[in-house]
Amino acid sequence: MHAIHGFPPAKVAEPLRADEIHVWRLHRPKGTGRDPLLSLLARYLGIEAANVRLAENEHGRPRLDARHGDALDFNWSHSGEQALVALARGVAVGIDLEQRRKRANALAIARRFFTAEEADWLDTLDEEAQRTAFLELWTAREAVLKALGRGIAFGLDRLSFRHEANGLVLQQLDGDDPAAWHLSSLDIGTDALAALAWRGAPRRIRTFALADDE
């Protein structure tokens, strides 16, 4: 899982090339719901936010309604007042964002829902490193499952990751070839962790933050 650093401010959506994935960091104050997401999607679609229509697949994954065509895929995640949105053409993307918080039962959760190998690895780490590694495993899982179009009901133990020098690598995914997947961590500061995943060819990841949110 290679790390992607920095979210330079931008005011408008730049052209999204077929070999890119754009990731935006948005401010999402309480009570705004999907408004920040719809506003961003409208920039890429070239329409007013009020005219953006969303639908869901059979597992509840949000997507653009068929009236907007099928060229643009997106996924988003929010935690606290922060949100991340990933956009791509011709490939399904998954993204997950989690705030750092103390979990006294992180290892117990891993023992219950992750693979035995992952839980054993976490058990070798000190408390602080264990909390970070647990969140890395969690966000990586969520990102892959969201790109797959599924949720955690798919089964958190049906995929696994191994830790390498550059971070996590998808090691196993039931019914799929893990080598076909790409996983990147996103540097969003010290208060949260995030991961981005997609299946297919390598793509350039470009990160942005709305300039008027800075």
Side-chain angles (χ1 to χ4, degrees):
M1 181 163 65
H2 301 289
I4 305 299
H5 302 283
F7 283 75
K11 291 184 177 295
V12 297
E14 296 192 20
L16 175 58
R17 294 163 47 101
D19 62 349
E20 293 180 337
I21 295 175
H22 288 185
V23 179
W24 286 80
R25 189 183 70 204
L26 308 178
H27 183 51
R28 182 180 176 269
K30 292 180 180 179
T32 56
R34 288 180 167 177
D35 289 350
L37 170 66
L38 297 177
S39 295
L40 180 64
L41 292 174
R43 297 177 184 220
Y44 280 84
L45 295 170
I47 61 178
E48 296 295 325
N51 295 326
V52 177
R53 295 292 180 268
L54 302 182
E56 293 182 349
N57 73 0
E58 63 271 29
H59 302 291
R61 182 186 189 270
R63 58 178 174 80
L64 287 167
D65 187 85
R67 73 188 68 185
H68 300 304
D70 59 2
L72 181 65
D73 185 80
F74 79 92
N75 195 233
W76 84 313
S77 181
H78 51 84
S79 184
E81 294 192 345
Q82 187 172 194
L84 294 178
V85 182
L87 304 104
R89 300 191 186 279
V91 68
V93 289
I95 196 165
D96 190 55
L97 167 69
E98 299 288 340
Q99 294 287 322
R100 288 182 183 269
R101 58 183 182 274
K102 290 189 176 181
R103 285 181 174 85
N105 58 346
L107 185 59
I109 294 172
R111 292 275 183 214
R112 182 177 179 185
F113 295 108
F114 294 177
T115 65
E117 292 79 7
E118 291 168 330
D120 288 345
W121 171 60
L122 290 175
D123 200 18
T124 67
L125 306 176
D126 63 41
E127 183 178 358
E128 184 63 30
Q130 186 180 101
R131 285 199 296 265
T132 297
F134 174 85
L135 271 184
E136 289 175 343
L137 286 167
W138 186 273
T139 56
R141 266 180 169 74
E142 287 270 24
V144 170
L145 290 174
K146 291 168 78 174
L148 195 61
R150 305 294 296 265
I152 59 176
F154 176 78
L156 295 178
D157 60 348
R158 294 179 64 186
L159 65 166
S160 65
F161 302 84
R162 67 178 182 272
H163 185 265
E164 296 187 349
N166 290 329
L168 298 179
V169 175
L170 183 62
Q171 177 171 269
Q172 178 260 337
L173 175 59
D174 280 5
D176 206 338
D177 176 13
W181 285 79
H182 295 272
L183 184 65
S184 292
S185 64
L186 302 168
D187 182 3
I188 53 173
T190 59
D191 62 339
L193 289 174
L196 171 71
W198 72 97
R199 188 186 195 283
R203 295 198 173 204
R204 178 190 180 197
I205 302 171
R206 302 181 64 193
T207 55
F208 310 93
L210 288 182
D212 53 2
D213 286 342
E214 295 297 303

